[in-house]
Amino acid sequence: MTIHRTQVAIVGAGPAGLLLGQLLHRYGIDNLIVERQGADYVLGRIRAGVLEQTTVDLLDEAGVSRRLHAEGLVHDGYELCFGGARHRIDLAALTGGKHVTVYGQTEVTRDLMEARAAAGLPTVYEAKNVALHDFDGTAPRITYERDGATHTVEADFIAGCDGYHGASRASVPEGAIRTYEKIYPFGWLGILADTPPVSHELIYTNHDRGFALCSMRSPTRTRYYVQCPLDDKVENWSDAAFWDELRRRLDPATAESLVTGPSIEKSIAPLRSFVAEPMRFGRLFLAGDAAHIVPPTGAKGLNLAASDVRHLAYALREFYGERSAAGIDRYSEVCLRRIWKAERFSWWFTSLMHKFPDDSGITAKLQRAELDYLVGSRAAATTMAENYVGLPFEGAAAAVA
Ligand code: APR
Ligand code: PHB
């Protein structure tokens, strides 16, 4: 049995926990991360890869953006493909010069891990049975088991950054939390391949056979997705079957120029909208996937995690620096306002682009009308673009930016 004392105990070493730890360290706030998995396992998870400018700014502030700026791809637009043709959404022109940066979440995580190791900050990997205690009082603790012993971390605050299946949200009494959830009737089958991207920008496709997305990780590595049935299995999909299906959903010119190759990774992800309210319970704060999930259409997941972390880091800095609880008191409310807007956008974009299994035909027709409207109306395209690049912050976080 060991007892460790820190200011902020962080549960989970995904991007949310690691970024929070790095920012707090920069502000002189002591923190320790406890993670259930090993570092390699965390790095093996392939997730989305589109960063809003505010996420890039925060990674700059955390001092972990050197490789991001060297290797990240700045995208000024993307394309919507439907009815056999591609239509560009010019993000920069529609948002007064804003853009997004394509850089994989895995790489963000790797950069954060390296920075944490270089700064000598403590991370406990492979911590079993992580449990949270007494966060409704002034002396919260977490306990975990490792190497056959039980360890305790005493802290001023606990940050629950342990994802959708984590211990943090689960330890909140049922009556104190309300959750909202929607599960979509399809999944995304994704592959990663060392092939050149079919286009220099992302292509989001609405097709009678289902949604498809052409994305990338670098000029030599692609990430492509096709909508698949909810109960589909990766084993049902050879690489050749995947490439055939993707080709069928693209416009003829894109299909023709698609370069295929062996997959490096292949996985199926379900699509879910989920929000837990509130995000603060006494001295426990939830951040990132622990509090909310968006369907991946629009790539808001990592960006939302980063914006929670930004609010939480600033609030804790205010608490320790100015002895003011104003930031932490407003944390949940301020985060949730922006989260619900991103939930709305992700739900809308998902609803617009996918084939719904129970559609009698009217949904596809309405989607087509909306897509026509989007690419024909500057007002409609502007709405889409300003959400895609990321909505502005409000309150104290906006002022600091
Ligand atoms: N104890 C400790 N750690 C845990 C526990 C637990 N009981 N349960 C889960 N974890 C760890 C997971 O192993 C994982 O490393 O918490 C981490 C949570 O990381 P993510 O799931 O990546 O969540 P987050 O950091 O909030 O990142 C959000 O991930 O899913 C994407 O779309 C999402 O891009 C967004 C990003
Ligand atoms: C990805 O590259 O994985 C990706 C990109 C854009 C999305 C979703 C996923 O909207």
Side-chain angles (χ1 to χ4, degrees), residues 5-244:
R5 162 91 215 147
T6 189
Q7 288 175 297
V8 181
I10 300 173
V11 187
L18 287 166
L19 181 54
L20 179 65
Q22 202 60 26
L23 287 166
L24 293 179
H25 169 64
R26 292 228 144 192
Y27 306 155
I29 301 169
D30 198 33
N31 63 88
L32 176 130
I33 303 184
V34 176
E35 161 65 49
R36 176 164 63 184
Q37 306 288 352
D40 288 347
Y41 180 95
V42 173
L43 280 178
R45 290 190 293 234
I46 309 294
R47 300 267 175 82
V50 177
L51 308 184
E52 295 173 0
Q53 188 55 45
T54 50
T55 303
V56 173
D57 294 344
L58 198 64
L59 293 166
D60 284 338
E61 189 184 337
V64 293
S65 57
R66 192 194 51 74
R67 205 160 62 91
L68 158 65
H69 289 295
E71 297 174 18
L73 306 170
V74 172
H75 282 204
D76 286 331
Y78 58 88
E79 289 182 300
L80 294 174
C81 177
F82 57 94
R86 285 156 57 172
H87 307 264
R88 186 162 189 265
I89 299 293
D90 189 335
L91 291 174
L94 292 165
T95 63
K98 292 188 181 161
H99 54 244
V100 293
T101 303
V102 172
Y103 188 69
Q105 177 173 320
T106 312
E107 304 311 315
V108 173
T109 308
R110 193 190 311 279
D111 295 343
L112 284 162
M113 275 182 179
E114 283 175 6
R116 190 165 180 89
L121 305 177
T123 313
V124 179
Y125 283 102
E126 296 174 358
K128 299 302 161 211
N129 294 325
V130 175
L132 292 75
H133 313 271
D134 300 336
F135 49 82
D136 51 349
T138 52
R141 284 176 298 124
I142 62 177
T143 53
Y144 63 92
E145 285 159 28
R146 197 173 194 282
D147 303 326
T150 301
H151 305 271
T152 299
V153 182
E154 297 176 348
D156 299 332
F157 297 100
I158 301 175
C161 302
D162 47 353
Y164 182 71
H165 299 286
S168 299
R169 195 183 67 252
S171 61
V172 174
E174 221 171 273
I177 190 165
R178 168 132 195 222
T179 59
Y180 301 83
E181 184 164 48
K182 180 180 182 68
I183 296 177
Y184 297 84
F186 38 74
W188 278 19
L189 167 67
I191 75 165
L192 197 62
D194 279 331
T195 55
V198 67
S199 167
H200 67 287
E201 291 183 338
L202 271 57
I203 306 173
Y204 291 90
T205 301
N206 174 306
H207 189 274
D208 290 345
R209 296 181 65 88
F211 171 77
L213 169 60
C214 300
S215 182
M216 66 193 74
R217 290 290 175 272
S218 76
T220 57
R221 180 167 285 189
T222 46
R223 180 72 170 160
Y224 293 134
Y225 300 94
V226 294
Q227 174 184 348
C228 65
L230 206 47
D231 57 0
D232 214 341
K233 297 271 172 294
V234 170
E235 302 75 62
N236 298 339
W237 288 88
S238 65
D239 288 355
F242 179 91
W243 293 119
D244 284 348

